[in-house]
């Protein structure tokens, strides 16, 4: 079976909830240019963001560009359009926290099996954003257990890669899944916050913890949080 037809275990939980092996979507048709801010300026133009002594109207928070993802050794990244909602790849771990929040996301793909997503929420206050980030972190820490409870054919393990010093803070995790028939996948997650905005970044490919670009992913997370406002 080719790499393009083997899906990440967690993605299949979301898409089918019955078995692993769903087909990943092909590379996004967009280039890596970061057009997220211009496409959504009118959506949230009246939002107020406080940075030190400065308060100004702000567009929807900016998203990562393709060049800001962890470098792939043999393929460039392409970035999809910023889209309203929540990507399927993220629903399984955070489904209990999702209802009632305004969110947008961006998909990223390589020519091989590696993929990523960035999901951003904007809420009514910094206090609400802090509470949301706390719940998302809790969801991610519980995701390995949820996977194993959902499918006895799959083993899952979580690693906590710790806090990142950026804006109001961020936290990174690794999640490895392995099925009874040998499919093994590694996912990296992070949650970060700046003011009223909370962002969640996911990176995934076939492999295990030894294949995870943790240092580069932390850099990507730091960039993602810094770009919010």
């Amino acid at each position: 079976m080719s790499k393009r037809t083997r899906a990440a275990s967690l993605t299949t939980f979301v898409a089918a909830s019955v078995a692993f092996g769903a087909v990943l979507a092909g590379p996004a048709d967009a280039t890596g240019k970061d057009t997220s801010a211009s496409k959504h300026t009118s959506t949230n133009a009246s939002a107020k963001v406080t940075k030190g002594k400065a308060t100004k109207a702000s567009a929807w928070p900016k998203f990562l560009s393709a060049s800001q993802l962890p470098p792939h050794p043999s393929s460039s990244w392409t970035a999809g359009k910023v889209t309203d909602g929540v990507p399927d790849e993220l629903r399984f771990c955070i489904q209990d926290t999702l209802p009632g929040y305004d969110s947008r996301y961006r998909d990223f793909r390589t020519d091989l099996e590696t993929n990523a997503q960035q999901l951003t929420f904007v809420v009514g206050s910094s206090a609400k954003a802090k509470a949301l980030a706390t719940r998302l972190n809790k969801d991610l820490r519980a995701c390995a257990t949820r996977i194993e409870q959902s499918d006895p054919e799959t083993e899952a393990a979580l690693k906590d890669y710790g806090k990142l010093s950026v804006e109001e803070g961020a936290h990174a995790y690794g999640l490895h899944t392995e099925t009874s028939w040998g499919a093994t996948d590694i996912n990296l997650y992070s949650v970060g916050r700046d003011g009223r905005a909370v962002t969640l970044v996911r990176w995934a490919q076939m492999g295990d913890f030894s294949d995870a670009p943790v240092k580069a992913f932390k850099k990507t997370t730091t960039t993602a949080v810094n770009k919010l406002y």
Side-chain angles (χ1 to χ4, degrees), residues 20 33 35 44 46-47 55-56 61 67 76 96 103-104 111 122 130 132-134 146 163 171 176 186 192 220 228-229:
F20 292 92
K33 295 181 179 179
T35 59
N44 198 36
S46 62
T55 301
K56 62 180 180 179
S67 63
S76 60
D96 292 341
S103 63
R104 295 195 175 102
D111 292 334
V122 175
K130 182 179 180 180
L132 173 58
T134 297
R146 175 177 284 184
K163 296 179 180 180
H171 208 117
H176 174 244
I186 181 66
T220 292
L228 290 173
Y229 290 121

Side-chain angles (χ1 to χ4, degrees), residues 28-111:
D29 57 4
T31 67
K33 295 181 179 179
D34 187 0
T35 59
S36 57
S38 62
K39 287 181 181 295
H40 294 285
T41 300
S42 62
T43 306
N44 198 36
S46 62
K48 299 293 183 179
V49 180
T50 301
K51 285 284 222 171
K53 295 182 179 180
T55 301
K56 62 180 180 179
S58 175
W60 187 270
K62 294 180 180 179
F63 281 74
L64 291 164
S65 61
S67 63
Q68 293 166 330
L69 273 291
H72 192 281
S74 61
S75 175
S76 60
W77 287 93
T78 55
K81 296 179 180 179
V82 175
T83 304
D84 291 337
V86 178
D88 287 341
E89 291 88 345
L90 291 175
R91 286 186 178 274
F92 183 80
C93 283
I94 63 170
Q95 58 189 358
D96 292 341
T97 298
L98 290 177
Y101 292 104
D102 186 15
S103 63
R104 295 195 175 102
Y105 70 92
R106 193 174 208 178
D107 279 320
F108 302 88
R109 304 283 175 182
T110 66
D111 292 334

Side-chain angles (χ1 to χ4, degrees), residues 5-218:
T5 58
R6 282 188 59 188
S9 300
L10 189 56
T11 300
T12 310
F13 267 121
V14 175
S17 299
V18 289
F20 292 92
V23 179
L24 285 173
D29 57 4
T31 67
K33 295 181 179 179
D34 187 0
T35 59
S36 57
S38 62
K39 287 181 181 295
H40 294 285
T41 300
S42 62
T43 306
N44 198 36
S46 62
K48 299 293 183 179
V49 180
T50 301
K51 285 284 222 171
K53 295 182 179 180
T55 301
K56 62 180 180 179
S58 175
W60 187 270
K62 294 180 180 179
F63 281 74
L64 291 164
S65 61
S67 63
Q68 293 166 330
L69 273 291
H72 192 281
S74 61
S75 175
S76 60
W77 287 93
T78 55
K81 296 179 180 179
V82 175
T83 304
D84 291 337
V86 178
D88 287 341
E89 291 88 345
L90 291 175
R91 286 186 178 274
F92 183 80
C93 283
I94 63 170
Q95 58 189 358
D96 292 341
T97 298
L98 290 177
Y101 292 104
D102 186 15
S103 63
R104 295 195 175 102
Y105 70 92
R106 193 174 208 178
D107 279 320
F108 302 88
R109 304 283 175 182
T110 66
D111 292 334
L112 300 175
E113 80 281 359
T114 310
N115 64 94
Q117 294 79 35
Q118 181 185 6
L119 171 66
T120 298
F121 302 87
V122 175
V123 297
S125 67
S126 292
K128 290 181 178 179
K130 182 179 180 180
L132 173 58
T134 297
R135 290 196 296 273
L136 290 171
N137 277 292
K138 182 179 179 180
D139 286 346
L140 291 177
R141 287 193 293 267
C143 194
T145 299
R146 175 177 284 184
I147 290 171
E148 291 185 340
Q149 290 174 344
S150 298
D151 190 335
E153 298 295 318
T154 301
E155 294 184 356
L158 181 80
K159 280 191 177 182
D160 188 330
Y161 290 122
K163 296 179 180 180
L164 297 156
S165 180
V166 55
E167 299 298 344
E168 274 76 52
H171 208 117
Y173 307 90
L175 178 64
H176 174 244
T177 57
E178 184 172 4
T179 67
S180 60
W181 56 89
T184 179
D185 299 281
I186 181 66
N187 295 261
L188 297 177
Y189 291 91
S190 61
V191 175
R193 182 173 71 89
D194 183 8
R196 298 186 301 110
V198 177
T199 196
L200 192 160
V201 181
R202 171 185 178 264
W203 171 99
Q205 71 172 31
M206 293 164 53
D208 56 28
F209 286 116
S210 66
D211 301 302
V214 176
K215 183 177 180 180
F217 182 73
K218 287 183 174 181

